[in-house]
Amino acid sequence: MATQKAWFYKKYGSVDVMEYGEFPVPKAEPGHVLIKVHAAALNPVDYKRREGVFQHNDSDFPTVPCGDMSGVVVEVGEGVTKFKKGDDVYGNALELMTKPKQCGTLAEYTLAAEQLLAAKPNNLSFEEAASLVSVVVTAQQAFETAKFTKGQSVFIVGGAGGVGSIAVQLAKHVFGASKVAASASTSKLDFLKTLGADLVVDYTKQSYEQISEKFDFVFDTVGESAKSHVLAKGGAPIIDIATFPPHPKAQNMFAMLGAAKLEKLKECFESGKVKAVLDPKSPFPFSKVLEAFKHLETGRAQRKIVISPIP
């Protein structure tokens, strides 16, 4: 059996359970493509999975973590019609809504179902494409779940984070918000303005209760709906993607990953309306995966953390 270099863990726990070594290369199953991974992106769900939060419906050990990636198709399984060998693709390989695969994307090769992948926009680097996968789908789905319409206002809690930085751009340039407000710490306020935020709030200096204006939609990306709910107009939707359960006035949302939303926004990526935003420390080399996870788990990462190049 062919093997590859990969990061994996054999038990649940902190980042210290991660190991680097040889892992089997998956075989191209029907309806799937084998991908040479060029870049992988980390998400909070990846370390929560490693900690055992989803162990009631998880893969067997050893587990290669992460799902977001971009790369090149090297083999196609029976029945695949959308891609061919040599195509540049991006997407999430894990199928988290069912039972995630044992081999994620912190490896030289990964296997992904055809319907989870989209053709990588030509103007995006592999690192940029990988960084967009989950955050774009999550942010887009939040606006759709809230039934957000052109001319409405939105407050994005955590506007400088991975999901938040994309949500600000989508609100302004795709969903036609009349006003985009977002919160961040002092050093990130100018960054929010460059993304298109009309009102920036320094959460270290101003509480939600001190903001007199109310909004048609509150999108909380950091799990503070117990406090941020006061920003919503009466009966306005509040979506919290980071606290379970959220405040009674808010609702949770789990992103339905797949190619459809990536393909829907392809023109926005190619025109530059929506830009990938990587953490200043990204990309981390493949040898620094542990450092990348530690940075993510501090909660102070700005934008997306990407691993690249992958051998």
Side-chain angles (χ1 to χ4, degrees), residues 7 15 42 284-285 287-296 305:
W7 286 93
V15 70
L42 307 189
F284 285 80
S287 60
K288 300 293 185 182
V289 162
L290 300 185
E291 288 83 348
F293 268 114
K294 289 175 182 177
H295 181 47
L296 176 65
I305 296 175

Side-chain angles (χ1 to χ4, degrees), residues 17 24 44 60 62 75 82 84 105-106 111 123 128 131 136-137 140 149 155-156 162 165 171 174 196 207 230 238 262:
V17 302
D60 297 327
E75 188 179 348
K82 188 176 174 182
K84 64 183 185 303
T105 57
L106 288 183
L111 191 69
N123 63 316
E128 290 170 330
S131 77
V136 159
V137 171
Q140 185 181 12
T149 58
F155 193 103
I156 298 163
S165 58
V174 177
S207 68
V230 301
I238 305 166
L262 296 176

Side-chain angles (χ1 to χ4, degrees), residues 90 118 140 144 174-175 259-269:
Y90 72 135
Q140 185 181 12
E144 293 173 348
V174 177
F175 288 96
K261 288 184 172 64
L262 296 176
E263 292 166 346
K264 186 176 180 180
L265 288 173
K266 183 179 180 181
E267 183 276 329
C268 295
F269 302 145

